[in-house]
Amino acid sequence: MNETELQELTESISITYFHKKFIHKAIFNTRLRTTGGRYLLKSHNIEINPKYLAQGLEEIIGIIKHELCHYHLHIEGRGYKHRDSEFRELLSKVGAPRFCTPLQTTVRKKKTLVYQCRACMFIYKRHRRMDPSKYVCGKCGGKIKLVS
């Protein structure tokens, strides 16, 4: 899907579900990370996260409906924020989701470094690297070495 198809889809959803025209731009924004889309208050444009295309057209349609709720309520001067009752009523009326499903991001596992005292063999587990020559054991005062 390219941006002209996104614009046409947004305009057709606006006419079908809201019975109002969408006269601004709907574009993809690759910089969005934690959200499916956003409505810009100053320019009245809608930005969509292109990563949600992989989850299917239904997910994109839900995101567009949600952002159009913000759009039409803001244009009319009504409560367009998530906490406003008018916004929640319009969401349920058009069948738009309140939140989009989270993306499956790659979760990086933190590397655990293991240090050990040479005298008493006490083990220290750390996530951040440290210089063992600058520190001593807190239990006995012995020297510390990196195990793994």
Side-chain angles (χ1 to χ4, degrees):
M1 177 182 280
N2 58 21
E3 289 197 356
T4 56
E5 292 171 344
L6 177 67
Q7 181 72 30
E8 291 169 1
L9 179 64
T10 306
E11 289 172 1
S12 68
I13 290 172
S14 182
I15 293 292
T16 305
Y17 290 97
F18 297 90
H19 309 293
K20 298 170 186 165
K21 284 189 173 185
F22 176 71
I23 56 172
H24 293 87
K25 287 185 181 179
I27 57 173
F28 286 116
N29 185 348
T30 56
R31 293 182 317 251
L32 295 177
R33 293 194 181 269
T34 60
T35 183
R38 70 178 172 187
Y39 165 64
L40 302 171
L41 294 173
K42 290 186 178 180
S43 65
H44 303 296
N45 294 340
I46 291 176
E47 295 180 342
I48 303 294
N49 188 343
K51 293 176 186 170
Y52 278 90
L53 285 171
Q55 293 192 355
L57 190 62
E58 289 299 316
E59 187 69 27
I60 293 289
I61 290 172
I63 293 168
I64 292 171
K65 283 182 190 177
H66 178 98
E67 300 309 323
L68 282 172
C69 288
H70 288 297
Y71 171 79
H72 288 299
L73 289 171
H74 181 251
I75 295 287
E76 294 169 5
R78 295 165 52 201
Y80 61 91
K81 296 179 182 175
H82 285 119
R83 66 176 178 261
D84 294 329
S85 61
E86 291 175 325
F87 178 75
R88 291 184 186 187
E89 289 169 9
L90 187 58
L91 278 180
S92 62
K93 181 181 170 188
V94 298
R98 184 138 184 256
F99 304 104
C100 59
T101 57
L103 286 171
Q104 295 296 328
T105 57
T106 56
V107 179
R108 284 192 293 178
K109 186 179 177 186
K110 280 197 168 187
K111 184 171 69 172
T112 303
L113 297 166
V114 179
Y115 296 93
Q116 187 176 25
C117 174
R118 294 183 182 190
C120 69
M121 301 300 179
F122 186 78
I123 294 177
Y124 296 93
K125 293 182 180 177
R126 298 286 181 264
H127 292 292
R128 297 181 103 183
R129 194 167 196 70
M130 65 178 227
D131 184 7
S133 64
K134 293 183 178 179
Y135 298 95
V136 294
C137 176
K139 301 242 182 242
C140 69
K143 291 188 174 191
I144 296 175
K145 68 177 180 176
L146 176 65
V147 178
S148 66

